Amino acid sequence: MARSAVADQPVRRGSDYAVLSRRISEAGLLERRPGRYAVRIALTATFFLAGWAAVVAVGDSWAQLLMAVGMAVATTQVAFLGHDAGHRQMFRRRGPSELAGLLAGNLAVGLSYGWWVDKHNRHHANPNHTDEDPDVGGGALVWTSEQAAATPPYLRWLARRQAWLFFPMLLLEGFHLHVASIKALVGRSSGGWSTPMRHRGVEGLLLVAHTVGYLGLIFAVMSPAKALAFIAIHQGLWGLYMGCAFAPNHKGMPMPTEEDNLDYLRKQVLTSRNVRGGWFVDVALGGLNYQIEHHLFPNMPRGNLRRAQPIVQAYCAEREVPYVETGLVESYRQALAHLHEVGRPLRG
């Protein structure tokens, strides 16, 4: 069914998107909202710093395991700010956007901002395209029957059970992001850097500062056993939360190829899924529940996405472009069903 949703679309060359973009612009939804972002940044930073202050106050106690859960939430909320900065949703100018991204990503979270921006921009350019989108390339998980057939023998046990193991594997995502950031920072290929970064030296210094500060604070406050338990829970739940925020967006949606020749509007809408919910879902998912609107207008401030949704949804109905919106639990069910189906040949 996902494949037919792509195949049934007529070939157009961007005029449809131009009309929608004009409607969105006329509604003022692309204008930055510096006041609102100032409040959001202040509240998130207060939550994050207050959490670390509480960790120090609790001291050498097993209650720190509960603190690790709260810090996983705070860390993810800071990462969402880095996401917004990477899309220049906060500021039009590159300088302030990069400063916010470096502070949120490298210093606060320990994630390379430059690496993430490069990877995420490639995802936005060709979502769910196995040859162009790094989020669905070959790896620990397989997203297509072709990837499943090419799975090496030592990974086939995992691929056969990937739907069942998806959420447990997300507990390792935080550690993977840290390792990938370091590899991107120092990795070289063909005589040059493997990942383009505008501020490689600054990123390296900020990652070192994050690592020294993070480990230094934890081991200064807690015994080694409690410190290691705190790190495992904090990093594991941070990765799980990040994965749960991003998984509903595209997993289980159509995966176009070069042959489909989709225009920009259809490329973004057909591969994306929105998640229904009120203000709590908006905050919990960092606005990523409006994935269709975000992909159509990546630099739209997070606070405007809800207002843009009815305009985009009505326009898609006019153009007979399928617009998918589900509940949060249903989005996970669809994603896991896709993973389970792709692994079926290996189970046979």
Side-chain angles (χ1 to χ4, degrees):
M1 182 168 64
R3 181 70 227 161
S4 63
V6 174
D8 291 344
Q9 294 302 306
V11 176
R12 293 191 174 95
R13 298 294 179 180
S15 60
D16 285 348
Y17 178 74
V19 174
L20 175 61
S21 180
R22 186 164 57 251
R23 293 183 185 180
I24 292 292
S25 181
E26 290 172 351
L29 297 178
L30 297 179
E31 297 177 4
R32 302 304 189 274
R33 305 180 69 175
R36 182 162 185 152
Y37 261 114
V39 173
R40 188 186 301 278
I41 291 171
L43 291 175
T44 305
T46 299
F47 179 32
F48 184 73
L49 295 175
W52 283 118
V55 168
V56 173
V58 170
D60 190 21
S61 166
W62 286 109
Q64 292 286 12
L65 303 188
L66 292 177
M67 296 302 302
V69 176
M71 287 311 303
V73 175
T75 301
T76 306
Q77 289 296 321
V78 173
F80 288 153
L81 289 178
H83 170 270
D84 293 359
H87 285 295
R88 298 196 197 177
Q89 296 177 14
M90 301 175 178
F91 317 104
R92 287 191 180 277
R93 293 174 53 212
R94 170 180 283 176
S97 298
E98 290 185 338
L99 177 61
L102 289 169
L103 292 176
N106 292 65
L107 184 60
V109 176
L111 173 67
S112 169
Y113 174 74
W115 164 73
W116 178 84
V117 167
D118 174 71
K119 173 177 176 289
H120 197 60
N121 284 345
R122 287 186 283 129
H123 157 71
H124 267 265
N126 292 283
N128 262 19
H129 192 299
T130 55
D131 294 329
E132 305 291 343
D133 183 355
D135 289 352
V136 292
L141 298 172
V142 295
W143 304 103
T144 67
S145 56
E146 291 79 11
Q147 290 178 350
T151 301
Y154 64 90
L155 286 178
R156 292 194 172 190
W157 183 91
L158 176 64
R160 286 195 293 268
R161 300 164 176 83
Q162 61 180 5
W164 297 98
L165 297 175
F166 178 71
F167 288 111
M169 289 173 65
L170 288 180
L171 293 170
L172 300 175
E173 179 64 14
F175 296 98
H176 167 259
L177 292 173
H178 292 308
V179 172
S181 295
I182 295 172
K183 290 173 64 176
L185 194 67
V186 302
R188 301 181 69 90
S189 62
S190 303
W193 298 108
S194 57
T195 302
M197 290 186 193
R198 285 173 50 82
H199 308 287
R200 192 175 301 274
V202 173
E203 291 214 28
L205 289 174
L206 290 176
L207 283 179
V208 170
H210 166 84
T211 304
V212 172
Y214 179 77
L215 296 178
L217 184 150
I218 292 173
F219 280 96
V221 170
M222 309 172 210
S223 66
K226 295 184 183 73
L228 292 174
F230 179 96
I231 292 171
I233 293 174
H234 176 218
Q235 297 297 323
L237 293 183
W238 171 55
L240 178 64
Y241 187 177
M242 289 280 284
C244 287
F246 282 88
N249 303 339
H250 304 280
K251 310 314 180 194
M253 295 301 291
M255 303 185 70
T257 66
E258 297 293 342
E259 297 177 356
D260 294 308
N261 194 26
L262 297 175
D263 67 326
Y264 182 79
L265 176 74
R266 288 161 181 79
K267 180 191 295 185
Q268 303 300 335
V269 175
L270 294 176
T271 59
S272 302
R273 176 196 295 113
N274 275 16
V275 176
R276 286 190 293 268
W279 68 268
F280 178 80
V281 173
D282 290 1
V283 173
L285 298 185
L288 297 176
N289 46 314
Y290 302 105
Q291 192 65 195
I292 294 174
E293 289 72 27
H294 171 59
H295 259 257
L296 288 170
F297 305 98
N299 63 346
M300 179 182 290
R302 190 196 309 183
N304 289 347
L305 293 170
R306 175 181 283 272
R307 295 165 56 199
Q309 183 186 26
I311 299 175
V312 173
Q313 190 169 17
Y315 186 76
C316 287
E318 288 179 24
R319 293 297 188 269
E320 298 183 348
V321 177
Y323 182 103
V324 176
E325 184 180 34
T326 70
L328 184 61
V329 174
E330 175 61 17
S331 72
Y332 293 136
R333 189 202 67 76
Q334 292 179 13
L336 294 178
H338 174 75
L339 288 173
H340 188 69
E341 181 62 28
V342 169
R344 183 184 299 278
L346 297 178
R347 292 191 296 277

